[in-house]
Structure formats: structure tokens, C-alpha cells
Amino acid sequence: MIPFQISGSEEVFISGRNIPHIDPHLTLWEFPISLYLFLGGLSAGILFFSAVVHLINKEDEFKGAAKWAPIVVPFALSIGLLALVYDLGNPFYSWRLYTTIRLESPMSWGAWVLLIVTPLSILWVMTYIRELFPVIKYENYKMPFLYKVEELAVKYKKYMALALLPLTIILGIYTGILLSAFNARPLWNNAILGPLFLVSGLSTAAATIILFAKSHHERQWFSKIDILLIVIEIGLIIHLIMGYYAGNEMQIEALDVLMNGEFTTMFFGLLVVLGLLVPLILEVFELAGFKVPVIIPAILILIGGLIFRILMVEAGQLSRILY
Amino acid sequence: MNTSRRDFIKISSLGVGGAAVVGGLMPVKLFGKDTDFNYDRPDLKRLPTYCDVCFWKCAAWAYVDEEGKIKKVIGNDEDQLSRGRLCTRGTGGLGLHYDDDRLRTPLIRVKGKGENAEFREATWEEATTLIAKKMTEIKNKYGAESFALLKHGDIGKHLDHLFQAYGSDTIAEPAFAQCRGPRDEGLKLTFGESCGSPESTDMRDSKCLVFIGSHIGENMHNSQVQEVSEAIDKGVSIITVDPRLSTVASKSKFWLPIRPATDIALMLAWMNVIIFEELYDKEYVAKYTTGLDELKEHVRPFTPEWAYSITDLTPKMIRESAYEMAHAAPAVVIHPGRHVTWYGDDTQRTRAIGILNALLGTWGRRGGFYFNEKAKVPKYPSPDYPEPAWAAKDLNVDLPFAKEGVTNRVIQASVPGTTLPHQVKAWMVAATNLTYSVPEEKSSFLKALDALEFLVVVDLYNVEIAGYADVVLPECSYLERHDAIRASEFREPSIALRVPAAQPRWKSKPGWEIAKLIGDKLGLGDYFNYKNYKEVLEWQLKQMGTSYEEMLHLGVKNLPRKTGPLYLDDIPDYQFNTASGKIELYSHELADAGFDPMPVYTAHPQPPRDYFRLIYGRAPMHTFSKTVNSPNLNDLKNENNLWINPRVAKIWNLKSGQEVWLKNQDEVVSTFPIKVRLTERIRWDSVYMVHGFGHKNKKLTRAYGKGINDTEMVTNIMVDPLMGGTGMRGNFVTILTENPNESVES
Amino acid sequence: MRYAMVIDTLKCVGCSDCVVACQTENDVPHGYCRDWVTESVIGTYPEVEIELRSERCNHCDNTPCVRTCPTAASHVIEGGIVLVDRDLCIGCGACIESCPYDARYRHPEWGTVDKCTFCVHRVHKGQDPACVSVCPTNCMYFGDIDDANSEVSKLIAVRKYKTLAPEAGTKPQIYYLI
Ligand SMILES: Nc1nc2c(c(=O)[nH]1)N[C@H]1C(S)=C(S)[C@@H](COP(=O)(O)OP(=O)(O)OC[C@H]3O[C@@H](n4cnc5c(=O)[nH]c(N)nc54)[C@H](O)[C@@H]3O)O[C@H]1N2
Ligand SMILES: Nc1nc2c(c(=O)[nH]1)N[C@H]1C(S)=C(S)[C@@H](COP(=O)(O)OP(=O)(O)OC[C@H]3O[C@@H](n4cnc5c(=O)[nH]c(N)nc54)[C@H](O)[C@@H]3O)O[C@H]1N2
Ligand code: SF4
Ligand code: SF4
Ligand code: SF4
Ligand code: SF4
Ligand code: SF4
Ligand SMILES: [Mo]
């Protein structure tokens, strides 16, 4: 018997329902999904910045963004996909995702976008990998077709960049829409989630780029971008919370999980303070000329980004439509 | 099969299009095979049985697949008791077959007793030889009568036969002194007959139903539940008297949340209203009853205003509910209940129910009580039984109206130096979990268990009582055996057949075979003149004008009535089976025996400060303690909860789901904790739990340690002086939030 | 044709027979269930009422579970019955997340999603779903709600009823008589 309270009255399952991962509340999607969303958003952000830098022809000025950070992407996406597949109940059938296109299903969408973005990210990295690591000689691998691939990639890099702009935005938004498509979970069911996840993804990407930045100039630039993104993100989060407060009973109840429930410490302590405010302040200080090791705000932002996904995934599953 | 499957696939592929229409978008299928649900199911073979998960005995079909696995048990449409629908426990009954925690082989105790007992496995040959040897020894030393049989359920018939052949009629079951005994005797004293089992309540045609404690819907006796539901469809109004908002109370027009133990006061007030406002069935009362004048004088002082302070029920409530039933009369059932051993004045309370029914003219009337009939099954030929020197009934000294064996008396007679006229030396306990069903009387139970020279337990499970047994025999589940023909009393007589749907699991054996094995060893072979019980059934069914084969097809057969009409109105000059031939509102029989001839309200103690009255009842998905470990039903409910009113919980600072222990007025502390359920469905002065949980035997892996066994908390027993019923609701408990057993355990 | 279930909460006794019947009929693994019984207690003693509801997939008209399914494993067949094709399901859980009624679960052995099928295998043979057919209070009705003469249609025409979480917009097709 699982009791739960609905506006003062008692509500119990009297048939002993206690289904793993469904009761007492949904815990179906766990850390792997959060990780997948995090890495997806991060990858989308990095590729987005990289493509932009390429298109504005500032590859040398922003070498970290253009070349170093994107190396992370194929790995991040692969790990993300592995996490997703790991979380499937029937992983050996994951290919079924590609036997149909379901436009209304964000999951289907994401699967297809990833199917395109992942190889693109590899091609993208291929266009300059030998420049960064001269030790890599394709001759050694006796795989002549890779030459061909590289050649083509380099040749069409501009088009690749053009394609990546919408694709990465879709991917970035998708990580939020995947959740917001679920009407059944009031905490997720919010149009802001897409943009919010996109911005958060971009912010984690900027942080990664800061880590990889090769010049103070690049670091400063991306710090500025990041500050802007964090401010937007905080704005969106406030907007989200106000929206829920103004919302119906379900939304208020859903928000309760974050505002004064199981996840409150995590939400305020880890996300808002450590993941957003502290790095924001540190970055502003750094811009103002104080000496701050860049690695600290960058890593805080990355951790904050991951925590944000964990929070949204787990707290979202706690929220439910009341009846 | 094949064609339908193909059709099905056709429909399902159509369905993908349907999905698109509904979803608004066509799912583009790039490759992959067409939809194939695999939702179709193979045809199953069915075998007749009747459910043994409780004593209602609904006729059913066991469905078996090609590999011989029992897949489901479904009610038999032709059966009046099930009407094609089993209750929860019946539907989940196959769990008794599949439970791997069942007893697997005969066991012989080698060391220790109770929870610490150690057993070794034995063969049937060895175990039954030992039992026969001991039975012979006891017979030679003390007489066969001192070997008692305590039993319940279907195996009872087979063991009755064994014991009577052996020379003992020292037989008792908890169904009497812990259950329906007071009701049966109270009704007999009033109407000359009881309502039987299944109760002869004509509820499907009732216009008003009154349930006093009886919690139909939680008490899942199948056809009753079905008939109440049918009556609801027809607009019946229900009155429920219960300190707890029982399920049926929630369906009632009047819920009377009575202060426990004051029901007789309410009923006297109802009588007062019905008599003095002349709402009774004058013609019926004049024609069929005696003693109205005495009754009228008797109830004169018992006005609703008088009852108010006793029962907590407002005079308005009492009056209006009385009017409600009076207006519906005679299509009224004031249900006599079934488990009625509450406060020791239970026979008298049933008398009050009987009298109310009589005043409203419901007995023998449509929508009230009909006259039931039972099929006669011829007895398979065997020699006459020897006449025992004494029987269980002879232990019922000072219990003039105990017409059956009283379990507690058998137990008391087993304590060395008993004051009862006879000494019991050995027991066979079959299909009754005595430590859960018979409350302990000042530890006479343990003394008896200690003193017994021999104890055999025949059960499905390694239940707690088995820990005291010298020999434990595993009976197979009802789905694995033949059994006696079911001949239930109902509107029409009927017979039903039970055949095995699967082989007995492990080395368990059917009851009939156990009886025969022991009988043969005792040299009573003449009484067991068959190889297989099927022969007995074949012979009996043939005598009854049908056959085993026909019954294999039908499962149940309804027979024409032979005893006459269902209702009084169709019988001229009906005579009741009482001394006066009439319904006895005033009972000379009781007066002559020195008891109150009309029910009297006696105040019972109410809980002291910080204590609550412990009340208990049934959960619809379990039968007592016997299904708690059964996988399917355990899935539905694996522990009991302690119902507490939230206002009380606030004072005691208790939360829903919190584990607490109980201590009763005699300082008895519960072995296990129980989780609190805060609910507005109960009075402030009582706590409630479902009976049957809190198993102590670790071998019952699903049931062990889950919840509290209410029987453990029942140490104050209010014995009914008329028939020995053990009133169990005079116990008060207080709540402990810390584990009182901690120090003992570590 | 539109299959629907009508359940009379005024007759239901919460016995859970419907639950165990479904389990044995459909080989639901132990510890899981496709249907369940909820008790809502409203009010304070002694002014208390309870509502008992046997709940399961609502076979919604508007199916978020089907929409969010990336492989089309979740689908609707004729009569509006929502099913999961085990051969297509990858167990991603999107449908589980999108069902407001928590009516689906991942099968512990198969990893694919399982849920109430409205006993399509029985309905197809003209029988009632298993839960409906055992209910001892006869409080469940199954039939074609598009057919004005069906028992289900007649019941909701004359009786007061509700559906669960109508605000979720799923247009559930289980009607509770209240
Ligand atoms: N505290 C308290 N005590 C009560 C009650 C109460 O509500 N509260 N209720 C009373 C009532 S109304 C009654 S009728 C009695 C019932 O009392 P019992 O009949 O003793 O009820 P159970 O405890 O279910 O015990 C049944 C036993 O039969 C075993 N069994 C099950 N199936 C089979 C089988 O096929 N063959 C064999 N050989 N054994 C089998 C079970 O394992 C179990 O040990 O209890 C009474 N005692
Ligand atoms: N599911 C299921 N059904 C069963 C059984 C089972 O084990 N499981 N057992 C069967 C058997 S053998 C029997 S005997 C019957 C028993 O079934 P009933 O005869 O209905 O049982 P009781 O134990 O008398 O009733 C319990 C109810 O009495 C209320 N009560 C407690 N104290 C008082 C009081 O002082 N006054 C009043 N008016 N009410 C009170 C409780 O709150 C509870 O609702 O059930 C049968 N049906
Ligand atoms: S009432 Fe239920 S448990 Fe009892 S015999 Fe009938 S189906 Fe079985
Ligand atoms: S079987 Fe019927 S009465 Fe029992 S819980 Fe289910 S719907 Fe209610
Ligand atoms: S109840 Fe849930 S699973 Fe069933 S159709 Fe509606 S949304 Fe889908
Ligand atoms: S779990 Fe299966 S049915 Fe559900 S959305 Fe994923 S693929 Fe579709
Ligand atoms: S319709 Fe069938 S599958 Fe659905 S809950 Fe009822 S029995 Fe289970
Ligand atoms: Mo009983």
C-alpha cells in the first residue's frame, strides 16, 4: 500500500501496486539519461561555436573553439549514445529507431539528428586533426579511403558548417524538448525547457572552450559569452519558476519538489549557487582583472550543467498529473 | 485458431493506419516486418473443481495448458455460488498450487519445539506407520476418544471418517467457537434453525440490507457479494453498523459508527421504535411468533435516547434507520453475520438480530431469508462406526447450547489435571492454523501442546502449529486432488465435483489418501474399501443418477428442490422447529436454562486511557492466515496495516507508513511491527487490522514478519456462557514507537 | 467502433479480483500489474466517503504514448485499443514517461513495455476482458461506445460519470460512474 496525499484527502493503492521504477513514483529514467542529455547539449554547443568560428573565419583567433574543443564531441556523443542505449530496456533492438521516422516523437527526432550529427562531428574533427597531431599519419593505417573522406570533408567544410548551425540548434533544443514533450510530467511540460536546455548546453560548451582556449584573448571572449549565457539561463530559470507559481495546482505541486522537497538543496546549493552564481561571479571578477584560475568557473559550470539535467530528469518524474 | 490469428494480424496491420489517423501523422516505416502482436493465446483444457480458498466452495474450472501447467481458475457459470465469477482469492487460488514454500515431504520432529523445532524428512510409509503405532498405543492406554481431531476445511470429511472408524468423536473446528457458533445457536433458539452456510439470505431481492459488523465486500463470500451488488442495481438501501467505515458502510445510506461492544443497546432501541411505533409486521408476528408482550415490556425503557449515550448514535439516526428497514419490510435482511464471537454475549446478540428480523417478518420471505436445501450424497458403503465412550460435546459442560465441539474445551481438556470430565492426550490438527485462529486462554494452549503425547499436523504449509508436531504431513493443494462431492445448501440443491488439475507437487498427498494410508495401517481397511477416491465418487454419482464423466463435463449440477417452496407464504401452516413451533421472541428454553430469555444489554469495559480497542476483520484478497504467503495474493497485499484516526495520530505524533509495535492490556507485546495507516475511516477509540498476518515461521518467505498477528494480542477472551464462543474484541492495545523486542533480539 | 470500459464505483468493493484475474490471464510477472485499485478517502470522520476505482490504461483517444514512441511500437488498432508491439519496442520508456496514468511498465524479462491490452485476444473472440469477466460485483462493463445501444453507452447516458485527469487532454476511454 503506497499512500500519497492529495489536497488533504487520503489516496491509496489497495491492490498492492508497487511496480519497480513506476511506484511509489517514476524513476524510470536515471543517471544515464541525464548524462545523455548533458553530453548532447554540450556537444551541440561546442559544434555550434566551432561552426560559427569557422564561418566567420576566426579559426586562428579562436583555436580552442574551432579545433581543440570539438575533439571532445565524437567521444561525448558516443558516450551519450551508449548511455542512452544502456538505459533502454531492449538495447539490442535499438536499430528499430531507424526503421521509422516519427515526427511527433522527440525521441525519434533525437535519434535521427544524432545519426547525422555524430558522423558530421567526426568528419569535422577529421578536417584538421592531422594539423593538430602531426603524428597521425593515415598511411600507417593502410586505409586509403580515409584520405578520400578527409579530402571531401575539407573540401565541403563550409557546407558542413552551414549544416551544423541548424543541426546543433535542433540537437540543443531537442535535449530540452525531449522532456517538455511529456504532458504527463508537469515539471517538464513547459515550452521554456527547450531554449533553457539550449542555453545551458551552450554555456557548458563555452566553459569547455575556456578550458581548451589557447589564448587569453579567446578565454576572455568566451568568458563574456558565458556570462551572457549564464545571465540568460538564470533569467529563464526564474521565468520557469514564476510560470509554475502562476500555474495550476499540479504545476505548483511539481515545483514543490524543487523549491521545498527532496531536491531543494540540490537545486539551490548545487545548481543555483555552485553551478551558476559562483562561476558567474568568478568570471565577472576575472574580466575585471582579478586573478582567478579559469579552470574553476569552467568546471563548476560543467558540473552545474550535469546537475541541472539530473535535477530536471529526476524531479520531473516525481511530478505527476493529479487525479 | 489459425484463421482467427490471421484475421487478427490483418486487423492489426489495418490498425497501424488507424494509429496514424488517430495520431494525425502517418508513421513512415522504412523497413522491418509487419506488426505481429503475439497477443493471441493458446486454447486451454479445463477441469472441474470447486474453490478451496475459503469455505464458500464455489464451483470452478481449472484451465491447464498443453504442458499441464495450471494457468487460471475461473468460476463455473452454472454454479449458484459463483455464477461464473470467483472472488479475488479464488481467482488467485492457483498461488496455493505454485507456492514453493509449501511442505514437500512428511517430516518427523527430532529436536526442540515451536520455533526452534528441528525435523527430518521421512517417507510416507515411515510417517504413517509411526502415526498408526501411536494411535494404537493411545487407544490402548486411554481409549481412542482421547485422540482429538482439530480440523477445518475439506480434509475434515476424510479425517472425520478415519477418526470415527478409529473410535474417536473428539472432533472440533474453529468454525464453531471462533466463528459462527453463537449465530447458529442464537438463530436456532429463535427460529429453530440457523441460516446455514452459505447463509440463506435472499439479498438479491432485498429492499433494505442491514449489516451489523458484517463487512461484506471485505468478507468476500462470493454469492453474497454478488447479490448485494445486484440489490444495489435494484436500488436497495443499506444500513451498516460498524465502528469503521467498512467498504459496505461506504455504500450505505446509513452508516452508524457505533461505539464498539454496544450493538445490543442499538438493537434494543430499534426494537423499541419498531414495536412502539407499531412498525412491525403485525400479521406475521401474530401468526408465527410468541412472546411479543414480554418483549414489548422488556424493551419499553430502551428508547433511542437511552441508547444514545451508550452507542454514540443519535436518536435521530437510530429512528430513521429503523424506519428505513420497516418501510422495506419484509424484503429486509438484517444480516446475522458469520464471525460473531466478539464480546461473549454473542448468542444473545444474534438473538436480538433474529428478533428484529422476526418483527419485520423477514424469515421465510422473499428479499429476507429463504428456506435453503442441500443435496443428499449417499454414503459410500463401509461398516458402522464404533460407539465412542464420550465425544467432544461431552467436554461442553456448563455450555448448554454448544451443539458442536468447542476447540478451546478440547485444548483445556488436554492440559494435565484438567477439571473437565475427560482428558485428551493426543491431537491431529488438519488444515487449521490453531495458533492464529484460536486465541490463547491463559497459556492453556502452550501447556496443552507441552503435555500432548502425540501431535500430528496435516497442512499445506509449514505453519506455526507444525513446530509442535511430532509428525507433519503435507497435503497437496485442492487443485491437485479429488475430494468429497460438494453439496452446498442454497436456493436449489446442487452437487459439484473436484478432480485434480495437476499432479501433487513434490511428495504431498491428497487428504483422502492420507486418511486411507493411516486407516489401512490401523487395520481399518474395511472402511477404506477403494484404491482411489475416484471409485467413491463414481459410485456416489451413479447413485445420484449422474456419472463421473458427466460431472467432468458439467462440473456442477443443480438439482430440483424436494423440500418444498423457498418462502413461507407458499407453505400453509408452517411450523418452526422450536418447542412452541413458533419464532421465539421470548425463549423459554433460555429461561429454563437460567439465561436471559430476551437479549439484555450489558456494558462491556471500554478502553482505558492511552489504549485503543483492537478490532479486526478481513481483507478481500486473503483468507485468514492461509493465503498470505501465496504468491498471487501476496502480490496484492503482503502485510496488514494499523488503521488509526488521524486526529489520534496527531496527538500520538504518528505518520502514515510508520512502523509501530503494540502492547495489550495484559502486557503482551507484538512480535513484529506494523505500519500505520492514518485514515478517517475509523473511530478514535479503536484501531483496526486485518486478521491473518504476522507469520512467525521463516519458511513462509513472503509472509514472515509482515505485520502483526491479531490473535497474539487477544489474551482477554470473553467466553459465551451459552455455547463457549470465544469473544475476541475485548482487547485493548497501546502503541509503541520503539522496538520493545530489540534487547531480546540482539 | 470505439471500445470503452465503464466502471461503477458505487458497486466496486476494491477486492482487486480484476487485478489478479489480469495477472493470471495475461501472465503478468509477479510484482507487476496492468490494472490496480485505488481508494480515495474524502472527508473527515464521521463524514467520510470513499471512492474505489479499478484503474488501467485508459486506451485514450488522444494518445501521448503513441505519439512519443520513436519506433511506432505503441500503436492504436481498430476500436481504439492501444497496444505495444513487442517486436518493435526498444524499451526506451518514452511512452511510460508520457502516460499521465502510469499505466505502462517495462517488462522485467523482455525489457519491452507492457500494459493493458483491453484483453484484445478475448475481445476478438467476443468475450469480455478478463477483469470485466471476473468482477464479483459486476461493476465493470465493456463495449462499443459508438453504438448507442451498447450497455456502456446506455450507462453513461443515464448515469453521472467522470474520467481520470481529463485536463491531461488524453480523452480517456474508461468512464467511472459516480
Ligand atoms: N484473531 C482472530 N482469530 C480468528 C478470526 C479472526 O478474525 N481473528 N477468525 C476466526 C474464524 S471466523 C475462523 S472461520 C477461523 C479460521 O481458522 P483456520 O481455519 O485455522 O484458518 P487459517 O488460519 O487460514 O488456517 C487454515 C490452515 O489450513 C492450511 N491449508 C490451506 N490449504 C490447505 C489444504 O489444502 N490442505 C491442508 N491440509 N491444509 C491447508 C493453511 O496452511 C492454514 O494453516 O479463525 C478464527 N480465528
Ligand atoms: N476475504 C475474506 N473473506 C472472508 C474470510 C476471509 O478470510 N477472507 N473469511 C470468511 C469467514 S470464515 C467468516 S466467519 C467471515 C467473517 O465475516 P464477518 O462476519 O463480516 O466478520 P466480522 O469479523 O464479524 O466483521 C468484521 C467487521 O466488524 C467490525 N466491528 C468490530 N467491532 C465491532 C463492534 O463492536 N460492533 C460492530 N457493529 N462492528 C464491529 C469491524 O470494523 C469489521 O468491519 O468472513 C468470511 N469471508
Ligand atoms: S468465496 Fe472466493 S475463496 Fe471462497 S470459495 Fe468462493 S471463490 Fe473461493
Ligand atoms: S473486481 Fe470489481 S469490485 Fe473488485 S476491485 Fe475490481 S472492479 Fe472493484
Ligand atoms: S492511459 Fe496512458 S498508456 Fe494508455 S492510452 Fe492513455 S496515455 Fe497511453
Ligand atoms: S518503450 Fe517501446 S513502446 Fe514505449 S516509446 Fe519506447 S519503443 Fe515505443
Ligand atoms: S482489459 Fe485485460 S489486460 Fe486490461 S486490465 Fe483488464 S484483464 Fe488486464
Ligand atoms: Mo469463520
Side-chain angles (χ1 to χ4, degrees), chain B residues 410-471:
Chain B
V410 173
I411 294 169
Q412 286 153 17
S414 312
V415 176
T418 175
T419 54
L420 292 169
H422 305 284
Q423 180 83 45
V424 170
K425 286 292 188 180
W427 296 352
M428 180 177 285
V429 178
T432 172
N433 192 3
L434 289 184
T435 44
Y436 280 69
S437 36
V438 180
E440 197 172 318
E441 219 167 320
K442 297 194 193 73
S443 80
S444 61
F445 195 39
L446 282 179
K447 280 191 206 138
L449 284 172
D450 235 31
L452 286 179
E453 287 191 14
F454 196 59
L455 171 59
V456 184
V457 166
V458 191
D459 208 285
L460 193 66
Y461 285 108
N462 204 324
V463 284
E464 289 70 11
I465 181 81
Y468 299 89
D470 294 286
V471 183

Side-chain angles (χ1 to χ4, degrees), chain A residues 2-23:
Chain A
I2 303 155
F4 55 97
Q5 225 64 36
I6 289 179
S7 13
S9 63
E10 184 198 8
E11 179 111 356
V12 282
F13 293 132
I14 50 172
S15 57
R17 195 179 101 152
N18 198 0
I19 309 172
H21 297 296
I22 307 285
D23 297 319

Side-chain angles (χ1 to χ4, degrees), chain B residues 116-182:
Chain B
N116 308 316
E118 277 175 38
F119 289 88
R120 66 173 172 84
E121 292 185 2
T123 61
W124 278 97
E125 176 62 24
E126 189 189 7
T128 50
T129 308
L130 177 61
I131 294 169
K133 192 180 127 222
K134 282 286 180 178
M135 286 179 81
T136 313
E137 258 175 51
I138 303 255
K139 184 173 184 169
N140 293 341
K141 262 188 8 206
Y142 315 102
E145 300 82 357
S146 65
F147 207 126
L149 171 63
L150 296 163
K151 49 94 185 189
H152 206 180
D154 293 331
I155 195 178
K157 281 211 178 84
H158 306 296
L159 296 177
D160 282 348
H161 179 61
L162 171 70
F163 269 68
Q164 284 172 307
Y166 162 70
S168 168
D169 196 11
T170 313
I171 300 176
E173 56 178 32
F176 183 74
Q178 280 72 45
C179 176
R180 54 177 172 75

Side-chain angles (χ1 to χ4, degrees), chain B residues 357-620:
Chain B
N357 275 302
L359 290 174
L360 297 175
T362 68
W363 198 271
R365 306 292 281 281
R366 181 180 292 276
F369 294 77
Y370 58 81
F371 296 126
N372 62 15
E373 189 179 318
K374 185 173 179 163
K376 275 208 175 54
V377 181
K379 194 170 178 329
Y380 188 75
S382 79
D384 288 340
Y385 298 132
E387 188 67 36
W390 57 275
K393 274 178 237 168
D394 296 309
L395 300 171
N396 300 345
V397 276
D398 301 330
L399 299 175
F401 301 98
K403 303 281 163 63
E404 295 178 32
V406 170
T407 40
N408 293 59
R409 284 290 164 95
V410 173
I411 294 169
Q412 286 153 17
S414 312
V415 176
T418 175
T419 54
L420 292 169
H422 305 284
Q423 180 83 45
V424 170
K425 286 292 188 180
W427 296 352
M428 180 177 285
V429 178
T432 172
N433 192 3
L434 289 184
T435 44
Y436 280 69
S437 36
V438 180
E440 197 172 318
E441 219 167 320
K442 297 194 193 73
S443 80
S444 61
F445 195 39
L446 282 179
K447 280 191 206 138
L449 284 172
D450 235 31
L452 286 179
E453 287 191 14
F454 196 59
L455 171 59
V456 184
V457 166
V458 191
D459 208 285
L460 193 66
Y461 285 108
N462 204 324
V463 284
E464 289 70 11
I465 181 81
Y468 299 89
D470 294 286
V471 183
V472 181
L473 299 178
E475 200 191 2
C476 60
S477 80
Y478 79 99
L479 289 163
E480 300 152 30
R481 65 186 191 228
H482 278 110
D483 243 312
I485 291 167
R486 180 204 87 180
S488 294
E489 42 204 353
F490 218 80
R491 291 189 179 88
E492 278 156 27
S494 69
I495 51 170
L497 179 65
R498 175 186 289 159
V499 306
Q503 288 303 307
R505 293 188 75 198
W506 308 289
K507 287 185 185 141
S508 60
K509 281 191 189 297
W512 66 263
E513 195 180 343
I514 296 174
K516 179 177 160 61
L517 276 174
I518 300 171
D520 286 347
K521 287 255 153 59
L522 281 169
L524 300 170
D526 285 352
Y527 290 89
F528 299 92
N529 209 351
Y530 42 84
K531 280 210 192 61
N532 193 306
Y533 205 70
K534 195 175 162 199
E535 288 169 39
V536 177
L537 295 169
E538 277 167 344
W539 182 87
Q540 288 175 320
L541 290 169
K542 203 165 155 207
Q543 303 295 305
M544 299 181 81
T546 167
S547 68
Y548 185 86
E549 281 64 38
E550 188 188 30
M551 288 303 287
L552 216 48
H553 273 99
L554 295 176
V556 71
K557 194 163 185 173
N558 296 315
L559 308 166
R561 271 180 82 92
K562 287 185 181 144
T563 55
L566 276 169
Y567 305 111
L568 260 184
D569 306 298
D570 305 325
I571 313 170
D573 306 321
Y574 184 82
Q575 289 284 306
F576 286 85
N577 194 19
T578 53
S580 58
K582 300 200 170 203
I583 302 170
E584 306 206 328
L585 305 179
Y586 179 98
S587 170
H588 287 283
E589 214 177 328
L590 280 173
D592 293 348
F595 294 103
D596 295 322
M598 287 168 297
V600 170
Y601 167 72
T602 15
H604 296 296
Q606 291 296 332
R609 204 191 139 85
D610 286 347
Y611 279 77
F612 305 91
R613 185 183 298 275
L614 174 65
I615 58 177
Y616 53 78
R618 313 274 176 253

Side-chain angles (χ1 to χ4, degrees), chain B residues 1 4-5 7-8 11-12 14-20 22-23 27 29 32-43 71-74 83-92 94 216-218 220 222 225-227 229-230 232-233 243 245-247 250-251 255 257-258 312 620-621 631-633 635-636 643 645 647 677 679-684, chain C residues 8-32 34 39 41-52 60-63 66-67 71-78 80 83-88 110 113-115 117 120-122 124-125 127-128 131-141 159:
Chain B
M1 199 71 232
S4 72
R5 183 170 173 78
D7 288 347
F8 191 55
I11 291 182
S12 56
L14 262 176
V16 179
V22 177
K29 217 171 202 174
K33 69 184 172 101
D34 252 358
T35 329
D36 176 359
F37 306 119
N38 275 314
Y39 281 126
D40 220 350
R41 310 216 145 222
D43 275 339
K71 302 298 288 184
K72 56 184 178 184
V73 188
I74 302 291
R83 304 161 159 206
R85 291 160 187 258
L86 297 182
C87 85
T88 322
R89 301 164 294 152
T91 307
L94 75 182
I216 302 267
E218 287 155 287
M220 276 311 282
N222 194 348
V225 174
Q226 297 199 29
E227 289 198 22
S229 184
E230 202 177 326
I232 291 177
D233 271 340
L245 186 89
S246 61
T247 303
S250 77
K251 319 240 171 257
W255 170 38
I258 195 167
D312 269 4
M621 55 290 269
N632 299 71
L633 299 174
D635 276 355
L636 298 178
W643 292 33
N645 186 288
R647 274 227 236 168
R677 173 184 177 184
T679 181
E680 297 287 353
R681 291 177 62 183
I682 188 160
R683 285 173 61 95
W684 307 308
Chain C
D8 191 344
T9 64
L10 300 185
K11 288 202 288 171
C12 174
V13 292
C15 67
S16 312
D17 204 357
C18 43
V19 179
V20 67
C22 177
Q23 285 164 338
T24 59
E25 175 72 30
N26 296 305
D27 283 318
V28 177
H30 285 297
Y32 292 75
R34 291 180 177 184
E39 172 188 318
V41 184
I42 306 128
T44 48
Y45 175 88
E47 302 298 325
V48 205
E49 275 176 44
I50 60 175
E51 183 178 281
L52 293 161
C60 305
D61 254 355
N62 186 10
T63 47
V66 171
R67 277 202 307 279
T71 63
S74 280
H75 62 283
V76 187
I77 65 162
E78 204 180 77
L83 294 177
V84 178
D85 184 338
R86 274 173 222 152
D87 291 337
L88 287 178
W110 311 329
V113 160
D114 194 39
K115 66 180 269 295
T117 58
V120 65
H121 65 288
R122 293 173 61 95
H124 181 64
K125 291 180 195 145
Q127 299 168 325
D128 271 337
C131 51
V132 175
S133 77
V134 296
C135 173
T137 64
N138 241 307
C139 75
M140 307 169 86
Y141 308 85
R159 291 275 303 269

Side-chain angles (χ1 to χ4, degrees), chain B residues 28-96:
Chain B
V28 184
K29 217 171 202 174
L30 298 186
F31 53 91
K33 69 184 172 101
D34 252 358
T35 329
D36 176 359
F37 306 119
N38 275 314
Y39 281 126
D40 220 350
R41 310 216 145 222
D43 275 339
L44 303 170
K45 194 173 99 186
R46 64 179 201 184
L47 289 153
T49 186
Y50 54 89
C51 177
D52 188 32
V53 188
C54 84
F55 314 105
W56 212 250
K57 313 242 166 281
C58 303
W61 297 107
Y63 283 81
V64 178
D65 72 7
E66 281 159 0
E67 291 161 26
K69 283 194 75 157
I70 302 173
K71 302 298 288 184
K72 56 184 178 184
V73 188
I74 302 291
N76 186 320
D77 287 333
E78 299 309 313
D79 183 31
Q80 305 167 72
L81 276 69
S82 75
R83 304 161 159 206
R85 291 160 187 258
L86 297 182
C87 85
T88 322
R89 301 164 294 152
T91 307
L94 75 182
L96 292 178

